[in-house]
């Protein structure tokens, strides 16, 4: 049962007869009239569950953008429905004006639309649809909440895509326009040209030189069709927030930029995401569907409050590719976690692949280093200095294994990782 504002207005209107006849019986008589009207209104109110509700499928939306959900409301009964419908969602779904006044004649159907602007990545679920039906007098009515399943998937925002055009321009300079002139691992033949002073004599093509009777050298360009494997850590270290962004979301942004760049370079890109078990795999996607497959796979991922099983993840990488490739580990540069569980599997990976560890750095550490105001800030600065020293020691240990470490702020990590990939490409190290 529900009551409307009209009921309170009717109760207040009882002040007029009380002023005319100021007696207790007048008050009780008026209250009896109000109660009688409420009972009659309730008896004449139809059932709120008489409506038929159905929700249309909702398209995916990028985090920060808006979409709509449509609820089809049908009235199969013989009486006109007058009331309100509230389409409730999780708070993080960002449902705007979700209360709709409806007057629905018998046998008709109407669509009500609610705007959704998710504030968190992942699947945002519908809660319940509340139907409120008032009686003919508008004093009271009935209310019922029924579940109408629905969900909207908020995809990673991919904020770093604004850096993609500039990196693609640098890639075009490497891809055939500015060929590598020294032969090295991970390069392929590009063309022949005349020898100029300073060229490596090991690049001389003696057969072509004999045919042309002038010294000819070979030029080399970065090899295409390399294999890039992205390993996304979803363990407890990825749950930490740096600024206002979880480490996992910042790592996803970096992975998407690198995947877009590597696919344009002609390389194959695969994704493995997990902690103690593998949650998502994106294997063998084509260049045209890669980004869509990646954001769809990443969207429902959430950090798990447990340690990562790096032996399991390394074995999954070995199953994905048996040939040498570029393995990018998107995980936190946490000394304790790396020394306890990552160093041994990492040594095996580094022996077979080119390995890069991409980590989200906390800019608050740099800010704490400069604080020397009072004793509290001095202690904070000392703690920050110790943390930075431990991270640098861990990075040095990884470098001895042949692992490249890219450690940058959330906004700078995608760019730094893409630039490191281009550097490896230009030097023929893939």
């Amino acid at each position: 049962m529900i009551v409307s504002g009209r009921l309170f207005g009717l109760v207040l209107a009882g002040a007029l007869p009380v002023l005319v006849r100021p007696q207790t019986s007048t008050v009780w008589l008026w209250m009896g009239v109000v109660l009688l009207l409420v009972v009659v209104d309730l008896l004449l109110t139809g059932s709120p569950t008489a409506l038929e509700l159905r929700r249309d499928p909702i398209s995916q939306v990028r985090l920060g953008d808006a979409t709509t959900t449509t609820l089809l409301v049908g009235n199969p009964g013989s009486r006109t429905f007058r009331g309100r419908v509230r389409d409730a969602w999780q708070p993080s779904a960002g449902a705007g004006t979700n209360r709709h006044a409806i007057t629905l004649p018998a046998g008709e159907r109407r669509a009500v639309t609610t705007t959704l602007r998710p504030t968190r990545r992942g699947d945002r679920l519908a809660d319940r649809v509340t139907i409120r039906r008032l009686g003919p007098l508008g004093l009271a009515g009935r209310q019922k909440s029924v579940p109408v399943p629905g969900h909207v998937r908020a995809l990673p925002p991919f904020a770093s895509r604004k850096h993609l055009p500039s990196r693609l321009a640098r890639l075009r300079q490497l891809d055939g326009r500015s060929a590598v002139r020294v032969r090295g691992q991970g390069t392929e033949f590009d063309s022949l040209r005349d020898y100029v002073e300073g060229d490596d004599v090991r690049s001389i093509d003696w057969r072509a030189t004999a045919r042309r009777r002038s010294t000819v050298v070979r030029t080399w360009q970065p090899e295409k069709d390399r294999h890039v494997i992205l390993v996304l850590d979803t363990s407890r270290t990825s749950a930490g927030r740096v600024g206002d962004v979880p480490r996992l979301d910042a790592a996803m942004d970096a992975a998407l930029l690198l995947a877009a760049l590597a696919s344009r370079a002609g390389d194959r890109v695969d994704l493995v995401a997990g902690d103690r078990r593998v949650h998502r795999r994106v294997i063998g996607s084509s260049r045209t569907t890669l980004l869509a497959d990646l954001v769809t796979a990443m969207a429902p991922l959430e950090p798990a409050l447990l340690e990562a099983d790096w032996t399991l993840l390394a074995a999954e990488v070995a199953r994905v590719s048996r040939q040498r490739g570029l393995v990018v580990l998107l995980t936190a540069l946490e000394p304790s976690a790396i020394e306890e569980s990552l160093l041994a599997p990492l040594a095996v990976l580094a022996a077979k692949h080119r390995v890069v560890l991409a980590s989200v750095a906390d800019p608050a550490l740099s800010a704490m280093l400069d604080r020397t105001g009072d004793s509290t800030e001095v202690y904070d600065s000392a703690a920050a200095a110790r943390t930075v020293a431990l991270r640098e020691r861990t990075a040095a240990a990884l470098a001895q294994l042949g692992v490249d470490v890219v450690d940058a702020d959330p906004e700078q990590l995608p760019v730094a990782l893409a630039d490191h990939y281009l550097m490896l490409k230009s030097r023929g190290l893939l």
Side-chain angles (χ1 to χ4, degrees):
M1 172 185 170
I2 59 170
V3 295
S4 69
R6 289 187 181 184
L7 177 62
F8 297 101
L10 184 61
V11 173
L12 292 177
L16 295 178
V18 170
L19 290 175
V20 174
R21 187 173 178 269
Q23 295 183 11
T24 306
S25 60
T26 306
V27 176
W28 287 108
L29 180 61
W30 186 259
M31 295 304 296
V33 171
V34 171
L35 182 60
L36 178 62
L37 292 176
V38 169
V39 171
V40 171
D41 209 17
L42 280 176
L43 292 175
L44 295 177
T45 302
S47 173
T49 58
L51 294 183
E52 293 179 348
L53 303 174
R54 182 171 64 85
R55 190 186 303 279
D56 286 345
I58 309 171
S59 59
Q60 302 181 20
V61 62
R62 197 176 296 278
L63 185 64
D65 295 342
T67 186
T68 58
T69 174
T70 301
L71 194 66
L72 297 178
V73 183
N75 183 8
S78 58
R79 298 175 55 185
T80 299
F81 173 88
R82 292 181 178 86
R84 300 180 69 86
V85 174
R86 177 177 180 262
D87 189 8
W89 285 74
Q90 286 181 307
S92 55
T97 54
N98 60 348
R99 291 173 171 84
H100 310 277
I102 295 181
T103 300
L104 190 59
E108 292 190 8
R109 177 180 295 180
R110 190 160 299 169
V112 294
T113 302
T114 301
T115 301
L116 302 176
R117 191 181 295 272
T119 58
R120 286 185 58 190
R121 174 186 49 78
D123 290 336
R124 306 296 102 194
L125 304 179
D127 188 8
R128 294 172 183 168
V129 175
T130 301
I131 304 168
R132 178 174 291 184
R133 187 168 190 171
L134 293 175
L137 300 179
L139 299 176
R142 298 179 182 180
Q143 177 175 300
K144 182 72 174 180
S145 295
V146 295
V148 181
H151 77 280
V152 58
R153 173 162 291 185
L155 304 176
F158 192 16
S160 62
R161 62 182 180 275
K162 61 185 177 183
H163 301 292
L164 186 58
S166 60
R167 269 59 198 176
L168 289 176
R170 291 179 55 185
L171 180 64
R172 285 192 292 269
Q173 294 177 352
L174 297 176
D175 190 10
R177 298 187 181 184
S178 155
V180 180
R181 294 184 178 180
V182 294
R183 184 175 185 176
Q185 184 180 6
T187 57
E188 60 183 11
F189 174 73
D190 179 51
S191 61
L192 297 173
R193 62 169 176 79
D194 291 335
Y195 174 86
V196 296
E197 186 176 354
D199 285 339
D200 191 343
V201 295
R202 292 175 297 179
S203 298
I204 297 176
D205 189 315
W206 295 107
R207 291 185 178 181
T209 298
R211 287 195 301 268
R212 295 185 56 179
R213 298 184 179 180
S214 62
T215 307
V216 176
V217 295
R218 297 178 180 179
T219 59
W220 307 84
Q221 67 176 359
E223 187 174 354
K224 297 182 180 180
D225 198 26
R226 306 303 292 172
H227 199 175
V228 179
I229 306 171
L230 305 174
V231 181
L232 188 62
D233 179 14
T234 62
S235 66
R236 64 169 184 85
T237 57
S238 65
R241 300 185 73 87
V242 178
D244 195 34
V245 179
R247 277 196 173 100
L248 181 59
D249 288 33
M252 288 180 181
D253 201 29
L256 289 173
L257 181 62
L258 178 59
L261 184 61
S263 64
R264 296 290 185 90
D267 294 337
R268 294 175 295 146
V269 181
D270 293 330
L271 170 74
V272 175
D275 36 71
R276 285 205 168 275
R277 65 185 183 89
V278 178
H279 296 285
R280 291 289 185 276
R281 298 181 185 86
V282 178
I283 308 296
S285 293
S286 65
R287 174 181 170 183
T288 55
T289 64
L290 176 64
L291 280 181
D293 293 342
L294 288 179
V295 295
T296 302
M298 290 178 179
L301 290 176
E302 295 292 344
L305 299 182
L306 42 81
E307 297 291 340
D309 186 351
W310 285 106
T311 302
L312 171 68
L313 297 177
E316 186 64 26
V317 171
R319 280 194 291 269
V320 170
S321 176
R322 299 188 180 276
Q323 297 180 349
R324 183 176 178 82
L326 174 64
V327 178
V328 181
L329 305 180
L330 295 139
T331 184
L333 187 62
E334 294 292 340
S336 59
I338 290 178
E339 292 173 2
E340 291 177 5
S341 60
L342 182 56
L343 282 182
L346 201 55
V348 177
L349 280 178
K352 299 180 179 179
H353 303 277
R354 184 84 189 185
V355 180
V356 176
L357 188 145
S359 172
V360 180
D362 191 349
L365 289 176
S366 301
M368 291 172 64
L369 288 173
D370 300 329
R371 296 177 183 174
T372 56
D374 53 19
S375 59
T376 301
E377 292 184 349
V378 170
Y379 280 112
D380 290 344
S381 178
R386 182 177 183 275
T387 301
V388 171
L390 290 175
R391 292 170 66 90
E392 291 177 349
R393 187 189 70 180
T394 304
L398 294 176
Q400 291 180 356
L401 295 176
V403 178
D404 300 333
V405 177
V406 179
D407 190 26
D409 297 348
E411 294 79 9
Q412 299 299 323
L413 180 62
V415 177
L417 185 57
D419 289 344
H420 188 79
Y421 167 79
L422 291 174
M423 182 273 295
L424 294 177
K425 201 81 170 172
S426 65
R427 295 183 181 181
L429 300 177
L430 294 182

